[in-house]
Amino acid sequence: MEKRIIGMAAFTVAGAAISAFTVLLSMLLFQQSTYIYVGIIAAALLIFGNVLISGAFQRLSTTMKIVLPLLLFVLPLAGYGGYEAYIDHIEIENAEVDLTAYEPFRKETKAVRLEQPSSFTLKENLPELDGATALYPVYSAFVRAVYPENEYPHDNTLDSEVAVSKTPGAYNRLAAQNVDMIFAAGPSEKQESKLRPEMEQTAIGKEAFVFFVHDSNPVQSLTVEELRGIYSGDITNWEEVGGKNQEIIAFQRPDGSGSQTGLQKMMDGKKIMDPPSDHRVSGMGGVIEKASSYRNHRNAIGFSYRYFSTQMKENNNIKLLKVNDVPPDVPSIKNDEYPLSSEFYAITNGTDNPNVPPFIDWILSEEGQTIIEKTGYVPLGEN
């Protein structure tokens, strides 16, 4: 009996030391939650080993010999995995912006307005509009200035002339000619292949494609080549670009989303690495939450557009990186100094609505450009 007690004590001390070292190593080398799984397995092994040394396992019934490993290993691991999945779900559900606040004629709407009534208005045959989440505040303000006052629920593509299907949905609706015009970044190659030869995209404003990290990350600036290296998988540790010795967690968006298309264009033909499924986030707000949340990854990097990340989904736990030492601010976008500045567009696909051409002309006029500027984007012709 004494030998078993001594054996159990020695096993516990040695096992605890090895487990502590393993947990610490996993905290340094892997994603933030990996050490918890390692800790669960280590604790289960300690308990199971002591049960074996004590001889208690041999006295268990056949059923209990099967049940005990399940209780020690499977249930804790499955339970924590389920908890993580639930928290991820809650985070993403809470991450996206409530676009209802930007609906054009809603009381106390966030959509901006002109100081004077618009010189161009529509009363009937209203163009059907759709677009990207980040551009909804802009085209909602266009509607507020030009369309008759009415309810235009952003989430009702059947009954509303002004909806938000996000970039992939908006391009799908445009390709099917279910809308007259969308507001988005330029199409991906796949999206463009589905549009008619009559497709036209008219640049209406300028914006910056931005990368962000947790505020505690010491890295302040990356070059375009370094960004390409990170998203191709050639650069995997922050130490390689002047940061801490930590793995880089590079989040992405689904193919066809406006920001993922922006990433593809930034890569300039260089192959983007395939991310793990939990590193591909459906919404831009979700990417910001992933990069900013303590629960997730302080060694993460994500991407979005400047206006969305600073105005629509403001988060003090992230910081926008400079690119080639140039900050993504309004002056650098105006002067084309920020290397990832780009235009955004009003895009049509062979619409026969006669009100669309004069509407686009008005958007390009001083009044339309004023709305773009008041919303927080950069108007054209500001060099």
Side-chain angles (χ1 to χ4, degrees), residues 31 228-234 236 247-255 260 263-264 267 270-281 303:
Q31 297 175 23
R228 290 171 181 161
I230 288 171
Y231 275 93
S232 66
D234 293 339
T236 59
E247 175 193 11
I248 297 175
I249 305 297
F251 287 107
Q252 295 187 41
R253 296 285 316 287
D255 287 338
Q260 188 72 13
L263 177 69
Q264 291 163 353
M267 295 296 285
K270 194 165 188 177
K271 189 178 186 302
I272 301 173
M273 64 179 175
D274 293 324
S277 60
D278 61 342
H279 292 178
R280 194 185 291 278
V281 184
F303 52 84

Side-chain angles (χ1 to χ4, degrees), residues 30-189:
F30 301 108
Q31 297 175 23
Q32 118 289 340
S33 61
T34 303
Y35 74 92
I36 298 177
Y37 290 100
V38 173
I40 291 172
I41 293 171
L45 285 171
L46 278 174
I47 296 171
F48 191 66
N50 278 316
V51 170
L52 287 175
I53 294 171
S54 70
F57 188 77
Q58 305 303 323
R59 298 191 293 271
L60 295 175
S61 66
T62 302
T63 301
M64 283 304 299
K65 286 179 179 179
I66 297 172
V67 170
L68 182 62
L70 291 175
L71 292 175
L72 291 176
F73 293 95
V74 178
L75 289 182
L77 290 171
Y80 184 73
Y83 166 77
E84 275 214 318
Y86 171 73
I87 294 298
D88 273 345
H89 171 75
I90 294 299
E91 285 178 345
I92 298 304
E93 285 294 309
N94 293 335
E96 300 309 318
V97 175
D98 180 12
L99 295 180
T100 305
Y102 292 91
E103 288 180 358
F105 296 104
R106 187 176 181 83
K107 187 178 179 181
E108 297 181 355
T109 180
K110 292 183 179 180
V112 303
R113 65 181 302 170
L114 292 170
E115 304 255 341
Q116 303 292 333
S118 172
S119 61
F120 172 74
T121 57
L122 296 171
K123 293 183 179 179
E124 56 186 16
N125 201 12
L126 303 178
E128 303 235 356
L129 310 178
D130 204 332
T133 301
L135 289 174
Y136 180 63
V138 172
Y139 66 90
S140 176
F142 293 159
V143 169
R144 187 180 186 189
V146 170
Y147 283 36
E149 184 170 350
N150 200 350
E151 291 186 12
Y152 300 97
H154 74 277
D155 55 355
N156 188 338
T157 57
L158 294 178
D159 297 328
S160 178
E161 291 92 345
V162 187
V164 185
S165 299
K166 301 184 179 180
T167 300
Y171 270 109
N172 286 339
R173 295 188 73 208
L174 185 68
Q177 294 191 300
N178 292 328
V179 291
D180 296 299
M181 181 162 54
I182 68 169
F183 297 88
S188 66
E189 290 182 6

Side-chain angles (χ1 to χ4, degrees), residues 248-378:
I248 297 175
I249 305 297
F251 287 107
Q252 295 187 41
R253 296 285 316 287
D255 287 338
S257 64
S259 54
Q260 188 72 13
T261 300
L263 177 69
Q264 291 163 353
K265 291 179 179 178
M266 187 274 294
M267 295 296 285
D268 194 28
K270 194 165 188 177
K271 189 178 186 302
I272 301 173
M273 64 179 175
D274 293 324
S277 60
D278 61 342
H279 292 178
R280 194 185 291 278
V281 184
S282 61
M284 285 196 296
V287 176
I288 293 172
E289 289 297 301
K290 287 285 189 181
S292 68
S293 171
Y294 174 79
R295 187 197 158 273
N296 285 288
H297 310 280
R298 292 196 172 194
N299 52 331
I301 183 171
F303 52 84
S304 180
Y305 287 96
R306 178 197 58 90
Y307 177 79
F308 182 89
S309 59
T310 59
Q311 302 295 321
M312 295 179 73
K313 186 60 183 177
E314 185 177 3
N315 189 313
N316 293 326
N317 290 328
I318 67 165
K319 64 181 178 185
L320 303 188
L321 293 173
K322 297 177 182 178
V323 178
N324 294 355
D325 284 324
V326 180
D329 55 23
V330 171
S332 70
I333 300 170
K334 283 183 177 180
N335 298 322
D336 290 326
E337 295 172 351
Y338 181 71
L340 301 181
S341 296
S342 60
E343 295 172 326
F344 56 91
Y345 303 92
I347 306 169
T348 61
N349 189 37
T351 178
D352 58 2
N353 188 314
N355 287 329
V356 168
F359 188 16
I360 293 176
D361 289 341
W362 175 83
I363 291 171
L364 296 173
S365 74
E366 182 179 350
E367 290 178 354
Q369 293 295 294
T370 295
I371 284 178
I372 287 173
E373 185 170 32
K374 288 184 69 173
T375 299
Y377 282 95
V378 178

